[in-house]
Structure formats: C-alpha cells, structure tokens
C-alpha cells in the first residue's frame, strides 16, 4: 500500500481550536517532499548540492560526430581545409643540417667523386676573363653621370654614292635651353624647391592638437577670404545686370508713351475702330477730295511717320549710349581693381602663394596659364579617427608630382586644349597621267 506523505486529516471535525487537533491541522507536505528527495539522492550516490563540479560535469573536447555530419551537409568545407585536415602517419623530414658522415645505409667508395653542379671559383674567374676580355670591372661599369645614349648626338650615316647629288640632311641640334637650369617659381633664388616637399605636421592623421588647430584656423581664414571675394564679384555682376535691365525697361516705357505701334497693330486698330462702330454707319458720306488735298494729307502722314521713326531711333541710340557708358565704367573699375591688386602684390607677398613646405612662390608667373591650386591637405574635426583601420586614402600622388614639376620649372604651364586645330588638307588633281607621248 502506497504511503501518503501528507499529514493525517480529519474532514468531519467540528472544531480545530483544541489542543489535541493542532497536529492534524499543520501542513508539512513541503517538508515531507524535501526529505523524500534527499533520501533518493543519497541512495543514488549523494546529495547533488554537496558534490564538487568535477564529479557532476565533463569537458567534451572531441565533439559530437552527428553534429559535424549535419553541419557538413549544410555548409560544405573548403577544398583547402580538406587538404590541410589530411594528416599522414609518416612524420615530416627534419630541416636541420646533418653531419657529412651520416648516410642512408649504403657506404659509397672513397674513390667516387661527389657530383656538384655549382660553378667553382676557378671556372668563374675563367668565364669572367672571357666575357670582359681581360678588362677590369671598373673599366666596364661606368660610374660617370653622362647618359649611355645621347639623342642629340650626331650619328654617322653612310650615304649611297648614287644619291650624292641630293642635299644632305641637317643634323639634329639640341636646343640651347637644354643646357640652362630650369626657372623655378620660388620667390627666393637662394633655396631650391625640393622634389618631395615635407608636409606640415598639422596635416597628419594623428596630429598634435596645437599644430592642427593653428593650420585649421589659417586654412579657414583663407576660405573665408575667398568666399567674400566670390560674393563681392557676384554682387557686382548682379548690379551690372540690374542697371542694364533698368535702362532697357525705361526705353520700352518711352516707346509706349510715344504710341509707336507696328504696321499690323495700327492696321487692325483702325479697322476695328472705324468700321465696327455704330457712329461710322450714321456718319455722312464725305465729299470727294481734290488732288491737292490728297497730296497735302499724304505729305502730312509721311512727315508724322518720319517724326515717329526719328523719335524711336533717338530713344534707341540714347539707350545704347547709356549701356556703353555703364560698360565703360565697369571696365574702368576693373582696371583700377587690377592695378590696386598689382601694387599690393608688389608691396607684399600674398599668403596664398606659400607651399606646404614653406616655400613662397613669386607673384609673376611665366606665360598666361596659371599654376593649379594645391589641394586642401588637412583633416576636418569630423574626419579625425582614433583607429588606423578607419582611415580613408586621400590625395593623388600623380597630381602632386605634376604640380611639383611645374613649381620647379621642369615643365611649362599650359592650358588644356579643348578643341584642337585640325590639319588643313588641300585636294588637287594631278595632270601627270594625261601627259603621254607616242613612240613613233
């Protein structure tokens, strides 16, 4: 019979307030279940809470083969991993140097010579003498700065005696500027511009804060001045356009006040006003005009037409003179501005002409082309990174090198040719094939 772990109960007890009924009314089911679980753990080997972790858990270092098979079905391993996973039972060969008396078990005779595919010192010396023809190495290798091939040197040419009557070709002569040193764009003639200038420390990806802040303020001031100059030029252009538009509008208003109309407008207006009104139908028929009256009316209309044309022409000429005056004033202001900038550039060197390495360029350029502006080589506050992995490549070595060659004067500055001129070709017909003679 199964024993109950619960306390005995008496369901028909009328009262549970007596001293003899307190034992039956106490709920000890949780205590009984705990004791029963503890007895079962002691029977199986001991209480789990009192045992160490080493006796309860094991570390699996091999893994489950079924899980590996399932994973290989889902994600197929790479061929390289399969090759590396193959392990041979034969150990690998050792790479350390062995002594000469160690053999593979078969002793070679002492009279047998060892094969050696290398060239001995005596053979190397003999081959060297044959190659250099008893000359020393110093004589063969040129240590001078002169180039091996000179494209401007005169090459001896053997002419065929049959063509001795032909004029000899002129030899190629080197330009005289080839022997002159290049003209640098640096303002100072003492120091030369380096081929690879050292950048400022403030342009680094991890700069010192003081140097970076100083360079940032300098570049920011330059950008502010350039923006002010651009806004000033835009404002001046806008004022010029407004003045021209005002002059044209004034001329149109004068034309409207004078009543100048085109031939079509005047014809249609007369047609509508004279022939569509009721007054014209009630009007009496005019008497027949004499030829003298018709001539007088014709002369008056011709005179009025001439006056209208002359007035319109005078208004047009007036507007043209005003536009010419405005353009002349603009040119004068532009000339004054250029003269002022020229004087200012002669008095003081502009700060914008300073290179990254501190080299100051001269204001007077060579030719009409301008030197390309250097790129802005500074990292902004939002672009500063604290890790080298987050850096992005910036700049262009080709453009930097090309600009450095222009500054050093190795190459002249030119403007890009957008529309190159095509070679002119003239087509003519030769008459030599029509000249023939009859052999009689």
């Amino acid at each position: 019979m199964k024993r109950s772990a619960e306390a005995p109960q008496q369901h028909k007890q009328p009262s549970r307030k007596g001293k003899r009924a307190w034992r039956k009314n106490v709920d000890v089911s949780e205590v009984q279940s705990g004791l029963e679980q503890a007895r079962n753990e002691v029977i199986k080997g001991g209480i789990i809470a009192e045992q160490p972790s080493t006796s309860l858990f094991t570390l699996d270092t091999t893994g489950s083969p079924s899980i590996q098979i399932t994973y290989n079905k889902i994600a197929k391993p790479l061929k390289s991993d399969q090759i590396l996973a193959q392990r041979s039972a034969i150990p690998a060969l050792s790479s350390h140097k062995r002594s000469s008396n160690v053999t593979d078990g078969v002793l070679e005779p002492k009279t047998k010579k060892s094969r050696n595919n290398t060239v001995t010192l005596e053979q190397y010396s003999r081959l060297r003498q044959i190659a250099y023809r008893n000359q020393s190495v110093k004589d063969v290798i040129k240590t001078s700065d002169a180039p091996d091939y000179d494209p401007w040197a005169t090459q001896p040419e053997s002419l065929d005696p049959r063509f001795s009557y032909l004029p000899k070709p002129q030899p190629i002569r080197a330009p005289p500027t080839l022997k002159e040193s290049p003209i640098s764009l640096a303002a100072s003639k003492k120091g030369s511009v380096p081929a690879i200038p050292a950048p400022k420390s403030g342009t680094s990806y991890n700069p010192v804060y003081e140097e970076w802040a100083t360079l940032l303020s300098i570049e920011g001031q330059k950008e502010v001045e350039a923006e002010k100059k651009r806004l000033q030029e835009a404002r001046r252009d806008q004022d010029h356009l407004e003045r021209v538009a005002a002059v044209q509008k004034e001329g149109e208003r004068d034309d409207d006040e004078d009543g100048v109309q085109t031939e079509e407008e005047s014809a249609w207006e007369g047609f509508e006003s004279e022939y569509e009104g009721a007054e014209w139908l009630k009007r009496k028929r005019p008497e027949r005009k004499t030829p003298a009256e018709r001539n007088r009316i014709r002369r008056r209309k011709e005179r009025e037409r001439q006056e209208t044309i002359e007035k319109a022409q005078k208004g047009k000429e007036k507007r043209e003179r005003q536009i010419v005056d405005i353009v002349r004033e603009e040119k004068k202001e532009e000339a004054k501005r250029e003269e002022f900038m020229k004087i200012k550039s002669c008095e003081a060197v502009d700060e914008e002409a300073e290179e990254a390495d501190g080299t100051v360029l001269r204001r007077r350029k060579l030719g009409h082309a301008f030197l390309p502006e250097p790129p802005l080589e500074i990292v902004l506050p939002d672009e500063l990174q604290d890790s080298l992995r987050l850096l992005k490549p910036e700049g262009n070595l080709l453009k930097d090198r090309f600009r450095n060659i222009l500054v050093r004067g190795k190459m002249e500055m030119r403007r890009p040719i957008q529309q190159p001129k095509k070679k002119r070709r003239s087509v003519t017909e030769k008459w030599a094939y029509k000249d023939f003679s009859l052999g009689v």
Side-chain angles (χ1 to χ4, degrees):
M1 184 176 178
K2 186 178 180 180
R3 296 177 60 185
S4 177
E6 298 180 358
Q9 297 180 3
Q10 189 175 358
H11 302 286
K12 296 181 180 180
Q13 184 178 0
S15 177
R16 293 181 294 175
K17 295 182 180 180
K19 293 183 179 179
R20 291 181 295 180
W22 68 272
R23 184 174 173 273
K24 298 181 180 180
N25 297 323
V26 176
D27 186 10
V28 292
S29 59
E30 185 177 355
V31 177
Q32 293 294 337
S33 61
L35 293 175
E36 190 68 24
Q37 184 179 359
R39 282 192 215 100
N40 294 333
E41 291 180 358
V42 171
I43 291 170
K44 292 180 180 179
I47 299 176
I48 297 176
E50 296 177 356
Q51 292 182 2
S53 300
T54 56
S55 62
L56 297 177
F57 304 98
T58 57
L59 184 61
D60 186 7
T61 58
T62 59
S64 176
S66 60
I67 295 176
Q68 184 65 30
I69 293 172
T70 307
Y71 175 76
N72 291 340
K73 291 180 180 179
I74 298 174
K76 186 177 180 181
L78 299 175
K79 190 67 177 179
S80 59
D81 296 339
Q82 295 178 3
I83 295 173
L84 294 175
Q86 296 177 359
R87 292 291 182 267
S88 177
I90 303 174
L93 297 176
S94 60
S95 60
H96 65 276
K97 186 177 181 181
R98 299 181 180 182
S99 59
S100 60
N101 56 0
V102 178
T103 63
D104 55 355
V106 180
L107 298 176
E108 298 180 355
K110 296 182 180 180
T111 57
K112 185 178 180 181
K113 296 182 179 179
S114 60
R115 295 181 178 179
N116 193 0
N117 296 328
T118 59
V119 180
T120 60
L121 184 60
E122 292 78 7
Q123 295 176 351
Y124 173 72
S125 301
R126 184 174 60 82
L127 294 175
R128 187 178 181 184
Q129 293 294 335
I130 295 172
Y132 294 123
R133 298 179 182 178
N134 298 328
Q135 295 181 5
S136 61
V137 181
K138 292 183 179 180
D139 298 336
V140 175
I141 300 176
K142 297 180 180 181
T143 57
S144 61
D145 296 336
D148 297 337
Y149 173 72
D150 188 8
W152 307 105
T154 56
Q155 300 292 339
E157 297 181 0
S158 59
L159 298 178
D160 195 344
R162 294 178 299 173
F163 306 105
S164 59
Y165 61 91
L166 295 177
K168 296 182 180 180
Q170 297 293 334
I172 300 176
R173 297 181 180 179
T177 55
L178 190 64
K179 300 180 181 180
E180 299 178 0
S181 59
I183 302 175
S184 175
L185 297 182
S188 177
K189 297 182 180 179
K190 297 180 180 179
S192 60
V193 181
I196 303 177
K200 294 183 179 179
S201 57
T203 59
S204 173
Y205 287 105
N206 188 16
V208 181
Y209 176 76
E210 290 76 8
E211 298 178 357
W212 174 79
T214 304
L215 185 60
L216 182 63
S217 62
I218 294 173
E219 296 294 339
Q221 187 64 26
K222 291 182 181 179
E223 295 295 332
V224 169
E225 295 295 335
E227 185 65 18
K228 287 182 179 179
K229 185 177 180 181
R230 187 188 66 80
L231 293 176
Q232 184 179 2
E233 292 179 355
R235 195 181 303 110
R236 184 170 60 254
D237 296 341
Q238 185 66 23
D239 294 343
H240 174 69
L241 294 177
E242 290 178 358
R243 293 174 63 181
V244 173
V247 172
Q248 294 178 354
K249 188 175 181 180
E250 182 180 357
E252 293 176 359
R253 186 170 59 253
D254 294 343
D255 293 343
D256 295 340
E257 292 177 358
D258 297 339
V260 179
Q261 299 179 350
T262 60
E263 185 177 355
E264 296 180 358
E265 292 178 354
S266 60
W268 280 105
E269 185 178 356
F271 178 80
E272 293 173 357
S273 60
E274 293 182 4
Y275 297 98
E276 290 186 358
E279 297 179 357
W280 179 80
L281 298 175
K282 298 179 181 180
R283 190 171 55 182
K284 293 181 179 181
R285 183 177 180 180
E287 297 180 357
R288 189 177 182 86
K289 294 184 177 62
T290 60
E293 292 177 349
R294 291 194 184 94
N295 294 336
R296 192 182 307 111
I297 293 172
R298 189 184 302 109
R299 288 194 299 270
R300 179 176 57 81
K301 289 183 177 181
E302 182 66 22
R303 185 171 59 255
E304 292 177 355
R305 189 177 67 84
Q306 290 293 338
E307 290 178 357
T308 304
I309 293 174
E310 290 178 359
K311 192 171 184 181
Q313 185 68 20
K314 288 181 180 179
K316 184 178 179 180
E317 293 177 357
K318 181 180 179 182
R319 291 192 300 271
E320 290 179 354
R321 286 195 300 270
Q322 290 178 354
I323 293 174
V324 171
D325 293 340
I326 293 173
V327 173
R328 189 182 296 109
E329 291 178 1
E330 292 292 336
K331 288 184 179 179
K332 289 182 179 179
E333 292 179 0
E334 187 69 23
K336 290 181 181 179
R337 194 180 304 107
E338 291 179 357
E339 186 177 359
F340 174 74
M341 293 300 296
K342 188 182 296 183
I343 295 173
K344 186 178 179 181
S345 62
C346 293
E347 292 179 353
V349 179
D350 194 356
E351 296 180 357
E352 294 181 357
E354 186 176 355
E355 294 294 292
D357 57 345
T359 305
V360 180
L361 302 182
R362 57 183 179 182
R363 300 299 303 170
R364 200 169 183 180
K365 309 298 181 184
L366 296 176
H368 300 285
F370 293 94
L371 184 69
E373 294 293 335
L376 185 62
E377 297 179 350
I378 185 172
V379 183
L380 300 179
D382 56 343
E383 297 176 352
L384 289 173
Q385 303 292 344
D386 54 353
S387 176
L388 293 176
R389 296 181 178 179
L390 301 177
L391 294 178
K392 297 180 180 179
E394 297 180 0
N396 192 325
L397 294 178
L398 179 60
K399 293 182 179 180
D400 295 344
R401 182 64 175 169
F402 177 71
R403 190 177 184 279
N404 183 263
I405 290 175
L406 295 179
V407 172
R408 295 167 61 194
K410 299 290 185 179
M411 187 184 299
E412 60 180 346
M413 295 180 292
R414 292 184 180 180
R415 294 180 180 177
I417 301 175
Q418 303 295 341
Q419 296 181 352
K421 295 182 179 180
K422 297 182 180 180
K423 185 179 180 180
R424 294 184 178 180
R425 299 182 181 274
S426 58
V427 181
T428 182
E429 181 182 3
K430 293 186 178 181
W431 293 74
Y433 70 95
K434 295 184 178 181
D435 298 337
F436 61 92
S437 60
L438 297 175
V440 179

